[in-house]
Amino acid sequence: MRPPPDRPRKLLLAVDAPSLLHRNHHARAHTDLRDRGGRPAWALHGMLRQILEAVDQFAPDAVLFGLDDRTASEREAAYPAYKAGRAPKDDALVDQLERAGALLDALGLLAVTPPGLEADDVNASAATWAEREGWSCVLVTSDRDSFAHISEHTSVLRLIDGGIAGSPLLSPGRLRAMYGVAAESYLEFAALRGDASDNLPGVPGIGEKTAPVLLEQVGSMQAVWADIDHCAGENLVAAVDSWCEETGVPRIGKRLLARLTAEGARERYEFNLAIMRGREVDLGLQPDVPGSPGLLPLDPVRVARVVGHLGVESTTALALRVLTEPPASAG
């Protein structure tokens, strides 16, 4: 279903809630902000404040939040070392992570916790849902995993230290400028490179400089493996070395081929790809049902009560202004 040419696409704002909660916990812990019940609220308030600023900036039609299943993990079951080495979460952060879903649900927004999966899978599904429904999508996260979903109608607001206003909105063009790869090749690029934050080693000897050359010159990893299987990598070496000659750098084709055909290289790539790929999640969005969770505008009384519980008057005022007015697509 796609909108008529004279009608703007509706917009879905999809938020990686744990990513924002972690960032705001570390940035705002010194405030020791408590809600009206005396419980820690600095991370919850920081996340909500940033999303209100994003809603003010993008005027979406719907807002959903992805949360991690904190009781089970399909990826950890397949790879026990997944995310090993990360520092333990302190109690105040855990408390706020566990309360986030209830806060968002009470507000009337949509919080999705997929069994055994993560917020990244919700973002992946949001991008797929928006494309299928003819909407645009903005993914809000500080995690690079969502870069794999950038497309003509899906952008990523990559949160950095400057907050919402100072964070880059990544499109296919900006992603290529950053990494040298097309948006549709980012997942393959990441599987080659690996991800230290998730404790996923990359293919030895192929990193952020050589992976883009390989993908740009050969086209895809499917083409790479096919050439290795059927032509012993002859076309791969020729394409990469031709690029080297054109750009005036030493030839690296044979060295790349040796690294790709080394013992365990293809298995490492395929394993990373399987772990990194987003799983399909039922989001429960019902855009044709007025008042269903996640759709804007929200009920002013509900907004005032729920946001007011955090005890920051300026944030309550902002919430009332941006969450209770019709979205931009309403005309």
Side-chain angles (χ1 to χ4, degrees), residues 273-285:
L273 195 68
I275 292 289
M276 293 176 171
R277 182 178 284 121
R279 277 52 164 179
E280 185 71 19
V281 172
D282 182 3
L283 301 176
L285 274 170

Side-chain angles (χ1 to χ4, degrees), residues 83-284:
K83 296 187 177 181
R86 293 191 179 188
K89 300 176 180 67
D90 67 44
D91 292 342
L93 173 57
V94 171
D95 178 68
Q96 292 174 85
L97 285 166
E98 292 178 346
R99 290 157 53 206
L103 171 70
L104 297 167
D105 288 340
L107 192 53
L109 297 172
L110 179 59
V112 180
T113 306
L117 299 175
E118 306 171 13
D120 290 336
D121 298 299
V122 178
N123 270 5
S125 299
T128 300
W129 182 93
E131 179 65 27
R132 184 173 62 243
E133 297 294 322
W135 287 39
S136 293
C137 184
V138 173
L139 308 177
V140 184
T141 182
S142 60
D143 197 321
R144 294 184 298 180
D145 291 344
S146 288
F147 293 179
H149 314 305
I150 292 174
S151 67
E152 180 185 359
H153 297 295
T154 296
S155 304
V156 171
L157 186 68
R158 174 86 187 285
L159 284 189
I160 55 178
D161 292 340
I164 295 295
S167 295
L169 184 64
L170 303 182
S171 62
R174 295 193 74 172
L175 184 70
R176 183 185 285 276
M178 289 171 61
Y179 292 106
V181 295
E184 57 269 22
S185 298
Y186 182 83
L187 181 59
E188 294 182 326
F189 164 77
L192 286 168
R193 178 200 60 199
D195 190 337
S197 68
D198 288 343
N199 197 34
L200 290 169
V203 175
I206 301 182
E208 290 201 355
K209 292 183 179 180
T210 52
V213 174
L214 178 66
L215 291 168
E216 285 292 287
Q217 300 312 309
V218 184
S220 69
M221 287 306 297
Q222 183 177 2
V224 166
W225 300 126
D227 186 57
I228 289 173
D229 290 340
H230 302 296
C231 305
E234 179 180 334
N235 296 317
L236 182 161
V237 172
V240 171
D241 282 349
S242 176
W243 174 86
C244 292
E245 290 179 7
E246 291 174 6
T247 54
V249 301
R251 294 185 176 193
I252 59 171
K254 289 184 178 179
R255 189 162 69 248
L256 260 180
L257 178 61
R259 290 169 178 173
L260 288 164
T261 54
E263 184 178 358
R266 189 183 302 203
E267 290 76 11
R268 167 50 58 187
Y269 167 81
E270 296 289 353
F271 182 79
N272 285 352
L273 195 68
I275 292 289
M276 293 176 171
R277 182 178 284 121
R279 277 52 164 179
E280 185 71 19
V281 172
D282 182 3
L283 301 176

Side-chain angles (χ1 to χ4, degrees), residues 296-311:
L296 299 182
L298 301 182
D299 174 52
V301 174
R302 194 171 183 177
V303 170
R305 173 176 55 81
V306 175
V307 182
H309 185 68
L310 297 176

